[in-house]
Amino acid sequence: EKLSEILKPLGLVKVRTRRLKKLAEDWLQGVEYDRMHGIGQYASASDRIFYRGEIPESVEDHALSAYLKWLKSEQRTNQTENE
C-alpha cells in the first residue's frame, strides 16, 4: 500500500498506518476535532488557540502555557494603550 511505503522510513509502519487511517475516517465522518483518533491535549489546545482563536484558561503543555501568558500580557498592554 502506498501509505505504508511513505511511512516505512519512520518505522512502526503498521501502527502509524492504522492510526492515520482511523484519523482520516473520523475526519470524513465529521467527528469533532478534539475527539478524533490520535488527537491529544497538545493538538486540541493548539487547534483552539491558533485556529479557533479561543483562549483557554490553562493548558497542560508548557510552551502553549507560556504563549498564553504572553498573549494575555499583550492584550492587557494593548488595552492600556487604547484607553
Side-chain angles (χ1 to χ4, degrees), residues 12-62:
L12 299 171
V13 176
K14 290 180 182 179
V15 172
R16 290 174 195 240
T17 300
R18 188 172 53 248
R19 287 179 182 167
L20 282 172
K21 284 182 179 181
K22 180 62 178 149
L23 177 66
E25 288 172 8
D26 288 350
W27 180 272
L28 292 172
Q29 292 174 2
V31 174
E32 288 184 45
Y33 182 78
D34 59 347
R35 300 203 185 281
M36 287 184 185
H37 184 79
I39 301 300
Q41 291 178 348
Y42 177 82
S44 179
S46 295
D47 175 69
R48 291 177 62 200
I49 295 166
F50 300 112
Y51 180 70
R52 301 173 194 259
E54 298 174 8
I55 301 175
E57 285 298 315
S58 65
V59 293
E60 299 278 331
D61 182 77
H62 71 279

